[in-house]
Amino acid sequence: MREVYQEQLGELAEELASMSTMVGTAMERATKALLEADLELAEQVIEDDVQVDEARARAEEHAFGLLALQAPVAGDLRTVISTIHTAEDLERMGDLALHVAKTARRRHPNAVLPPDVQPYFAEMGRIAVKLAGRARTVIQTQDVDAARGLEEDDDEMDDLHRHLFTVMMSPEWSHGVAAAVDVTLLGRFYERFADHAVSVARRVVFIVTGKMPNS
């Protein structure tokens, strides 16, 4: 029975790892749609978001099933409870990619971003995809050092996000209020995506050590 139970926990981790891949792909495509005003790609991200929602539902159903049938204790209980919270974080990452795609669709055929901020969003998109990939690896390996390493990428994202405000507050900003609002909201979407990836990594640390890292 114990061996079967461990297999079930492993399957649960793989479900979360798969979600990490899904949300990373979603943000990669949403960023491309944003930068290139690609309506077809934006629509694909929007349409595929239901798959992330369904994956969260399956992971939660699996986790609650283990709680009900196996009555886990100690470390196993941490794993199951953390899985439920991790699935929530990953679904939220998918929602943030969805928001980016919807912004691209709403402004189509016009470009959303002024040329002078496009490089920032290209880099933020790259970091977001990297974080989703690293979250997947951490979920699969339960490598505490790798989990803690996500904080560095999050710091890069935060620096880019802060610099966007410097650009928009510059006297040289000539793109108007509407563009500034779009840039502000989009920057926040990427920042929150990174924050949720870090939250996933922190939950892995909690599973392994029994202690939640400080925020």
Side-chain angles (χ1 to χ4, degrees):
M1 288 294 292
R2 182 67 182 174
E3 183 177 343
V4 171
Y5 183 46
Q6 289 302 314
E7 289 178 0
Q8 290 174 324
L9 289 177
E11 290 170 1
L12 198 51
E14 282 304 313
E15 290 174 356
L16 297 178
S18 177
M19 285 186 70
S20 299
T21 297
M22 293 166 68
V23 300
T25 299
M27 185 55 94
E28 183 175 30
R29 291 172 175 169
T31 300
K32 183 176 176 63
L34 181 70
L35 293 172
E36 300 179 8
D38 189 327
L39 179 60
E40 182 177 351
L41 200 53
E43 294 283 10
Q44 183 179 358
V45 174
I46 294 165
E47 181 179 341
D48 289 349
D49 182 64
V50 67
Q51 297 177 18
V52 178
D53 297 339
E54 291 172 349
R56 176 190 176 178
R58 286 193 301 272
E60 288 186 342
E61 182 179 1
H62 192 173
F64 284 123
L66 290 176
L67 285 175
L69 298 176
Q70 301 291 347
V73 295
D76 290 345
L77 181 60
R78 286 201 306 271
T79 298
V80 176
I81 295 299
S82 294
T83 292
I84 295 169
H85 291 297
T86 297
E88 180 181 0
D89 279 313
L90 290 167
E91 184 195 28
R92 185 57 185 148
M93 291 165 73
D95 288 340
L96 291 161
L98 175 68
H99 294 334
V100 173
K102 284 185 173 180
T103 302
R105 182 178 68 175
R106 186 173 64 251
R107 297 301 188 195
H108 189 269
N110 298 318
V112 178
L113 301 172
D116 44 350
V117 297
Q118 287 186 8
Y120 295 101
F121 281 93
E123 181 64 7
M124 291 170 82
R126 185 193 68 78
I127 293 171
V129 174
K130 179 182 177 182
L131 280 165
R134 293 185 68 182
R136 177 190 174 98
T137 299
V138 164
I139 289 168
Q140 292 176 314
T141 63
Q142 295 196 342
D143 185 327
V144 170
D145 290 335
R148 289 171 173 153
L150 267 73
E151 301 275 359
E152 296 179 7
D153 291 316
D154 184 47
D155 289 342
E156 288 183 58
M157 183 73 83
D158 290 339
D159 288 343
L160 287 165
H161 183 239
R162 282 192 295 268
H163 197 69
L164 283 175
F165 287 96
T166 302
V167 174
M168 288 186 293
M169 294 299 292
S170 168
E172 298 177 4
W173 180 263
S174 60
H175 308 292
V177 174
V181 169
D182 281 339
V183 169
T184 300
L185 289 174
L186 287 163
R188 181 62 172 163
F189 297 154
Y190 284 90
E191 181 201 31
R192 291 300 298 150
F193 187 98
D195 288 344
H196 283 288
V198 170
S199 179
V200 169
R202 287 174 176 163
R203 295 191 193 285
V204 170
V205 174
F206 174 67
I207 288 170
V208 176
T209 68
K211 297 180 180 179
M212 182 66 79
N214 294 327
S215 300

